[in-house]
Amino acid sequence: MVSKASFGETSDGKNIDLYTVKNPSGMTIRLITRGATLIGVDVPDRDGRFDDVVFGFDTAEEYESDKYQYFGCTTGRCANRIAEGKFILDGKDYQLAVNNDPNHLHGGAQRSLDKVVWAAEPFEKPHARGVKFSYTSPDGEENYPGELAIEVTYTLTDKNAIRIQYKATTDKATPVNLTNHSYFNLSGAGDPTINDHVLTINADRYTPVDDTLIPTGELASVEGTPLDFRTPTRIGERVDQLNDTAALGYDHNFVLNQDAEGEMTTAAVVYDPASGRVLTVRTTEPGVQFYGGNFLRGDTGKAGKPYAYRSGLCLETQHFPNSINTPDFPSVVLEPDQTYTQTCVYAFSVR
């Protein structure tokens, strides 16, 4: 079942629609057209109790006033960081907004994909239902080259999985690196910590960063570091070892173990012993950014619940940060004769 309602307006008077998608077992997701954003995910625990496990806000005004959390949005054109907001493409220099000093972050400051209103088309099929969002970013928006036509389709399956499929085409070479920026707490959004969640990440390597969180270009082993999640590990077990680093905790890109480029791979598994909920993340992307909520400071979210320090985690499936300036990383350049595609699945179960 898919239903539609109003979610208010943007500050410049554009209507924002809210879509509620429910499957036969009762799992429900909520999506808004501003930013093609996932604002709610209600899933059962081991006793059948439903809780909303993602962060968000109750009003359009709160989404507009938030400048740094990116709760649940479609992120881009180029997710993550670009060093000093600069790159060279086809012999031309480009300067993007520096909105995470001294770097460019998540597509820019004014017209990044999380801040615009997308067109939406709901659908219902056997065993699946959802919403297809579309937006055409004009040539020069946020100073990115090329007109970029984008589709992001959220599908809720009968098996309690959210499948996010991305597609984009361009009329001029341009960097593209899209992701979803949901924050999860499997005990329920607003629970005070994710440090007791148990995390597994399917990665032998990660990308070390400098003091501004830009990768050095090295692909380093996780062996013997606090970043080794190859076996299930409580998130809070070693996080304090990273408190004095530039990331201030977990905010790292992991190089996924893939047999072939673009192959669907299990990126991560999160288990919450308290609720029994399990989140399995699968992707066609080469990397996943694990962020442990180091910059959450107790701001009020949905239903008046505070989002405390390290009370939410992100698992952003994507290409590596600053790939546009790192030739040895998988390329993020989309050419006019190519179609960008990728898939991310957030699948929920219980133990």
Side-chain angles (χ1 to χ4, degrees):
M1 180 180 73
V2 183
S3 61
K4 177 182 175 182
S6 173
F7 196 74
E9 295 182 347
T10 63
S11 57
D12 59 355
K14 292 185 174 65
N15 291 326
I16 302 174
D17 294 326
L18 165 67
Y19 288 89
T20 301
V21 185
K22 189 173 184 177
N23 73 7
S25 63
M27 178 176 169
T28 302
I29 66 174
R30 291 176 294 280
L31 304 150
I32 58 172
T33 50
R34 183 187 186 272
T37 298
L38 180 65
I39 71 166
V41 176
D42 297 339
V43 291
D45 65 8
R46 64 164 65 94
D47 298 318
R49 173 185 167 181
F50 282 80
D51 283 302
D52 187 353
V53 298
V54 299
F55 289 12
F57 297 113
D58 289 324
T59 67
E61 291 78 11
E62 289 171 297
Y63 278 100
E64 289 222 322
S65 63
D66 178 65
K67 302 300 182 186
Y68 63 97
Q69 305 287 11
Y70 300 93
F71 290 152
C73 67
T74 297
T75 311
R77 290 186 188 187
C78 214
N80 220 306
R81 291 173 177 85
I82 295 176
E84 298 180 348
K86 297 178 179 179
F87 65 92
I88 300 172
L89 187 57
D90 290 342
K92 183 176 179 179
D93 292 328
Y94 290 90
Q95 177 65 64
L96 307 175
V98 173
N99 59 322
N100 185 243
D101 192 31
N103 302 314
H104 176 81
L105 178 68
H106 291 334
Q110 303 297 326
R111 296 283 298 177
S112 50
L113 298 182
D114 60 294
K115 298 177 180 65
V116 299
V117 176
W118 297 54
E121 181 182 341
F123 62 88
E124 296 192 47
K125 301 176 181 178
H127 310 297
R129 69 289 304 151
V131 182
K132 180 173 75 172
F133 294 97
S134 58
Y135 176 70
T136 298
S137 177
D139 185 12
E141 188 163 67
E142 285 290 345
N143 211 30
Y144 282 92
E147 181 180 274
L148 187 71
I150 314 161
E151 293 180 356
V152 179
T153 302
Y154 290 83
T155 302
L156 175 61
T157 74
D158 285 354
K159 295 184 178 181
N160 286 3
I162 305 166
R163 185 169 64 247
I164 310 173
Q165 294 168 290
Y166 302 81
K167 180 180 177 182
T169 57
T170 183
D171 62 359
K172 188 185 300 183
T174 190
V176 180
N177 185 26
L178 306 178
T179 193
N180 177 271
H181 206 289
S182 288
Y183 290 64
F184 297 93
N185 186 314
L186 298 183
S187 288
D191 193 81
T193 186
I194 46 88
N195 280 342
D196 292 327
H197 287 26
V198 177
L199 174 64
T200 309
I201 299 178
N202 179 25
D204 296 332
R205 298 174 296 170
Y206 73 104
T207 54
V209 295
D210 64 18
D211 288 343
T212 72
L213 299 181
I214 293 297
T216 62
E218 179 188 4
L219 303 183
S221 173
V222 300
E223 181 79 33
T225 77
L227 304 177
D228 190 348
F229 286 96
R230 291 175 295 179
T231 58
T233 304
R234 193 175 69 88
I235 290 172
E237 183 174 321
R238 300 169 302 198
V239 66
D240 289 345
Q241 298 178 36
L242 298 169
N243 286 347
D244 294 330
T245 66
L248 302 177
Y250 288 115
D251 193 3
H252 296 78
N253 172 67
F254 289 78
V255 180
L256 295 176
N257 297 329
Q258 287 181 308
D259 290 334
E261 181 179 346
E263 178 185 72
M264 199 71 175
T265 303
T266 297
V269 178
V270 188
Y271 169 57
D272 173 30
S275 68
R277 293 186 180 96
V278 179
L279 169 63
T280 301
V281 183
R282 291 176 56 77
T283 184
T284 55
E285 290 294 275
V288 62
Q289 184 88 10
F290 166 43
Y291 169 57
N294 308 315
F295 298 102
L296 294 169
R297 292 293 183 267
D299 294 345
T300 300
K302 289 177 291 187
K305 294 180 178 180
Y307 296 147
Y309 174 64
R310 293 181 178 167
S311 68
L313 65 91
C314 301
L315 290 163
E316 306 156 60
T317 59
Q318 58 190 262
H319 275 55
F320 307 161
N322 200 39
S323 288
I324 188 66
N325 294 311
T326 314
D328 290 340
F329 285 0
S331 176
V332 294
V333 176
L334 179 67
E335 299 285 353
D337 60 347
Q338 298 174 329
T339 298
Y340 172 95
T341 59
Q342 64 129 313
T343 300
C344 171
V345 175
Y346 292 121
F348 294 88
S349 58
V350 295
R351 292 181 196 164

